Every structure is written in structure tokens, then in C-alpha cells.
Amino acid sequence: NPLDHFEKKEAKKMDRNTQLGVVAAREAVSHSRIIEDQVDKNRVGVIWGSGIGGLETFETEVLGWAKSEGIPRFNPFFIPKMIADITPGHVSMEYGFHGPNYTTVSACASSTNALIDAKMLLQLGKADVIVCGGSEAAVTASGMGGFNSMMALSTRNDDYKTASRPFDKDRDGFVLGEGAGCIILEEYEHAKKRGATIYAELAGGGLSADAYHMTAPHPEGLGAYLVMKNCLEDAGVTPDEVDHINMHGTSTPLGDIAESNAIVKLLGEHAFDIQINSTKSMTGHLLGAAGVIEAIAALGTILHGIVPPTINHFTDDENIDSRLDFTFNHAVKKDVKIAMSNTFGFGGHNACVLFKKL
């Protein structure tokens, strides 16, 4: 409920996508103590990811205009509520952060791209701290209708609680989710100097393109293989050092196979010794917000030594290597020192991040 977090007048100026994002950013900023520690706000940036932006606002305003009689009128907040870049703007205005500020848009890879951009900006010395995250709120008539017309969504309406079933033989599409996540990225020496709580190192970021199809993955998982390979190289990590991968794993027939094959190609025999999973089985697919939320889940494996399960598995798919351990249906205790997280977006956009235990 937005009124639990915003005054009514303030809430009316934000699309639900932005409301979710601002709340997540507030939680992360509060937890990080960057305000209490009086970090130089000129050196704090906000980099955000959203694949669609204010879809609900766009839908409401355009449908309202079409139904209007006489002179059509739009809400003066229509455009600033709708545009995908507005969330980091609101966050920066709330706290007075004057550092780099923008939104990355690469469909479902958007917030992972934001993390990688933030990492590079810190390495270039353009900021000391970056509030980095993603949000999405596309559970609307047009959002559901649009994905449904592509046959991207599961139609398991008679058993909706198990509709998101990555890697299962009977998977038939993803379940649309909404939400937001936020991570505070900080230059290491800067974080140490102020006594910040440091959970892990964002050691690597990989990028690639499928260069194949508007919506379908490369059938051989070429882009998925390249993005993970590039991520490992950026981090200076060898394939046999990886302990865990949070997969893109959307529960789509083609995507799950391509990504699984890419992991086997990348890691070789080591692929069968690690836990891999898809937390989308529990959260659904949060589109542009998926990357940061799944990065947080991957971080959680390092912090807590527990790999979350891939739930809703009932039947093995003969097209997926049965030697892979997808952590089906039950969490697994594991000492994870290196965890990776994959996100792939329509248009063939691929992004991967790697975290190291400190």
C-alpha cells in the first residue's frame, strides 16, 4: 500500500514502479548508514534498471484519453510518472545525491546492467557510493495481455501455485511478478574507512548479445556462454572456482535448455559439482527488476551458506542434462565463496555478475 510509505499527494505523483523502487532504495540507504556517516553526497550516485517503466500510468492515461468526451486532457504528471528513468531521479531528490544518475534499459537484464555500470563508475573514480537497483510493475491489463499474446506466460491457471516451474518437463512459460530491489555499492577503501558493513565483493561483470532473435534465446546458448565467460574473465576467476549460479531460469521451454547447456559448456565436469537454481520459481519473473533481486539472492548464499531451492519440480526434462543439480524443491546448506547471477533480456541482451566472499 503506497500510503504506508508516502503522503497521498506524493504517492499520486509516482507510478507504482517508482513507488516500489523508492521504498527499496530507502531500505538500502538506511541499512548502509551513508546518511548517518555523512558521506559526501556529491560522490553518491543512483543507477537504476527498469525494462518498461510506468506501464500502469501509460495505460491509464491513454485509455482515459480514448474514452474522454469533448477536449481530451492528460494528467500533468503523465510523462514524469511514466518515463523509465524517473525512479533514480526521485531517490536523488529525496537524499540530495548529486553523483551519476540514470536508468539502464535492457529488458529483463536492466538491473544487472545497472550493477555493472555502477561497478565500472566506481572503478573509474566517478563516485564513492552508488545506490543501485531495479523495479518493475507490469502486472496490468496491457502487461499481462502483451506477454500473453506472445505465448510467453504460463497458462497453468488451474494450478497457479506451481505454474512457475523452471527446468520441469511440463513448464509452459513464466509467471509475471512485480517488485524492487536495491544494493549499495561502495569503493572498498571508502567503505573500510567509514566502518561500513561489507557483505561481499562485486568482483566481475559480463556482457554479451545473442545477435539471434527478438525474443528467443540462441538455441546453442551462445550468448549465455559468452556472458558468463566474460564475467569470469573480468573477475579473474577460473570456472572450477565457481560455487553457485543463480540462473535466469524463466520456466520457458527454450530458454531453460539453452542456459543449462551454456553452463555445461562453460564449467565442464565442474558444472555437475555445484548447486544451481532459479529463484524465479518462487518470485515469478520481475522483468527489469529480476537482475538485482536475483543478485541479492546470490549474495544471500554467500552470507548464509544456504542455496535456495528451485521449487515446483515434478518431472525431469530429457533435453536437460540430468547430472546438473538444480537444487530442486529443497534448500541446500553450502559454503559458497563465489556466486554468479545471470539475466537475459528480449533483444538478446545478456548480463552476468559475480560476487566473492571476503
Side-chain angles (χ1 to χ4, degrees):
N1 182 355
L3 298 184
D4 290 340
H5 303 275
F6 305 97
E7 294 295 328
K8 187 174 182 179
K9 184 177 180 180
E10 185 183 21
K12 290 177 71 174
K13 296 177 183 179
M14 297 182 189
D15 184 86
R16 183 168 178 79
N17 170 60
T18 299
Q19 294 168 353
L20 293 166
V22 170
V23 170
R26 285 175 178 174
E27 292 178 357
V29 169
S30 174
H31 190 62
S32 70
R33 305 192 322 274
I34 57 176
I35 301 300
E36 293 86 341
D37 291 348
Q38 298 183 328
V39 169
D40 182 359
K41 293 182 178 181
N42 292 335
R43 301 277 300 166
V44 180
V46 187
I47 313 294
W48 211 255
S50 184
I52 298 176
L55 183 60
E56 183 178 49
T57 295
F58 183 83
E59 180 181 305
T60 300
E61 291 293 323
V62 171
L63 288 177
W65 175 83
K67 294 175 183 177
S68 64
E69 296 179 2
I71 301 173
R73 297 190 185 277
F74 286 99
N75 187 311
F77 293 106
F78 171 30
I79 299 301
K81 284 176 67 175
M82 176 199 70
I83 51 180
D85 68 294
I86 202 66
T87 301
H90 277 286
V91 175
S92 68
M93 287 184 282
E94 182 160 323
Y95 293 102
F97 296 150
H98 292 283
N101 188 284
Y102 59 90
T103 290
T104 54
V105 180
S106 51
C108 305
S110 296
S111 54
T112 305
N113 272 115
L115 287 167
I116 294 169
D117 275 20
K119 171 183 178 290
M120 292 190 291
L121 287 169
L122 290 171
Q123 290 174 318
L124 289 169
K126 304 299 183 183
D128 298 323
V129 179
I130 294 182
V131 180
C132 189
S135 53
E136 206 78 89
V139 182
T140 71
S142 58
M144 294 293 291
F147 283 114
N148 185 61
S149 68
M150 297 172 59
M151 296 187 289
L153 298 181
S154 171
T155 58
R156 197 177 299 278
N157 299 309
D158 57 337
D159 187 16
Y160 57 87
K161 289 184 179 180
T162 70
S164 183
R165 48 176 72 188
F167 318 112
D168 189 89
K169 181 178 181 178
D170 298 318
R171 66 191 181 278
D172 67 336
F174 67 80
V175 172
L176 193 58
E178 68 175 17
C182 185
I183 295 175
I184 304 295
L185 295 178
E186 186 168 357
E187 194 277 324
Y188 181 60
E189 295 300 331
H190 187 273
K192 277 206 312 180
K193 186 176 180 180
R194 73 178 184 90
T197 300
I198 302 173
Y199 291 113
E201 175 192 2
L202 175 52
L207 302 166
S208 78
D210 272 13
Y212 173 73
H213 188 271
M214 286 173 58
T215 57
H218 191 283
E220 297 173 11
L222 177 61
Y225 166 77
L226 286 173
V227 77
M228 291 186 287
K229 178 175 179 289
N230 293 339
C231 186
L232 289 176
E233 290 175 354
D234 185 53
V237 168
T238 58
D240 61 350
E241 294 179 285
V242 176
D243 297 310
H244 166 63
I245 300 175
N246 188 309
M247 298 174 66
H248 186 57
T250 56
S251 186
T252 53
L254 297 178
D256 290 2
I257 295 172
E259 186 177 8
S260 300
N261 290 341
I263 288 174
V264 174
K265 181 179 179 181
L266 178 78
L267 301 185
E269 290 295 318
H270 183 59
F272 312 126
D273 297 328
I274 68 171
Q275 268 71 44
I276 56 182
N277 69 350
S278 171
T279 47
K280 286 186 181 72
S281 61
M282 296 176 283
T283 67
H285 191 354
L286 281 88
L287 308 179
V292 68
I293 286 170
E294 289 158 22
I296 292 169
L299 273 169
T301 66
I302 291 174
L303 297 176
H304 305 295
I306 297 174
V307 178
T310 304
I311 67 169
N312 299 331
H313 180 75
F314 304 97
T315 309
D316 290 344
D317 184 342
E318 61 272 13
N319 297 304
I320 295 176
D321 198 316
S322 61
R323 294 173 294 175
L324 290 167
D325 187 345
F326 291 100
T327 324
F328 282 137
N329 296 324
H330 299 284
V332 171
K333 291 184 177 181
K334 182 181 179 68
D335 181 21
V336 176
K337 295 182 174 64
I338 293 178
M340 298 172 70
S341 180
N342 289 338
T343 41
F344 313 139
F346 286 168
H349 313 301
N350 305 310
C352 175
V353 287
L354 182 149
F355 296 97
K356 277 185 179 180
K357 189 173 188 176
L358 292 176

